[in-house]
Amino acid sequence: MIDQLRRLFRAREILYLLAWRDIRIRYKQSVMGLLWAILLPSLVVGAAALVRVIASQWSGSHVDLGGVKSVMVRAVAWSLFIGGIRFGTNSLTGNGSLVTKIAFPKEVFPLAAVVSSLFDFLIAFVAVVCVLLFFMHWTPGANALWLL
């Protein structure tokens, strides 16, 4: 295990270049690329809010959107997980020519895909924090340290 981590550390430049290439490809000449990082979690939050409104109308109770904050944070974390899985599984087949021709740790490809998904996560995370602070009047407490 230590040897594998050393090999990955020695291949950190390749990891950086592959992650940067994925980010550039995703966002090159595309406004929708940046918006997609915010739009996908927003759709999940909107669907959750709609379900809460419909459920409260169905039961005849007061509409409580307090749980939307929780759904918002969970949707951003879920999009990181799904993006890492989706791009990580396709990274080896998409880079087939590099896998067979160059000798370096093959774990770099899925790891670079996860790092590029982490970039999307950071964009969506900043958007969620801004929404929580400005629109939902959230004040960070001691539990906000769990974000780290």
Side-chain angles (χ1 to χ4, degrees), residues 13-23 95 98 104 108-109 112-113 116:
E13 289 96 14
I14 297 171
L15 173 67
Y16 170 76
L17 289 174
L18 289 173
W20 183 244
R21 181 196 67 177
D22 289 345
I23 291 169
N95 295 307
L98 291 175
F104 61 91
V108 169
F109 291 113
S116 67

Side-chain angles (χ1 to χ4, degrees), residues 35-46 75 79 82-83 86:
L35 291 177
W36 189 253
I38 298 169
L39 182 66
L40 191 60
S42 299
L43 290 173
V44 173
V45 171
S79 68
I82 291 300
R86 181 180 52 179

Side-chain angles (χ1 to χ4, degrees), residues 59-135:
S59 66
S61 65
H62 177 52
V63 178
D64 178 32
L65 294 178
V68 174
K69 295 175 192 175
S70 166
V71 171
M72 208 179 313
V73 173
R74 290 176 187 169
V76 172
W78 182 251
S79 68
L80 170 66
F81 177 73
I82 291 300
I85 295 290
R86 181 180 52 179
F87 294 123
T89 54
N90 292 333
S91 64
L92 290 173
T93 57
N95 295 307
S97 60
L98 291 175
V99 170
T100 58
K101 293 181 182 175
I102 301 172
F104 61 91
K106 305 310 183 236
E107 297 90 0
V108 169
F109 291 113
L111 195 57
V114 170
V115 168
S116 67
S117 294
L118 191 61
F119 184 77
D120 290 343
F121 169 78
L122 291 175
I123 293 169
F125 181 75
V126 167
V128 164
V129 168
C130 289
V131 167
L132 287 175
L133 288 174
F134 296 116
F135 296 114

Side-chain angles (χ1 to χ4, degrees), residues 8 105 139:
L8 279 174
T139 55

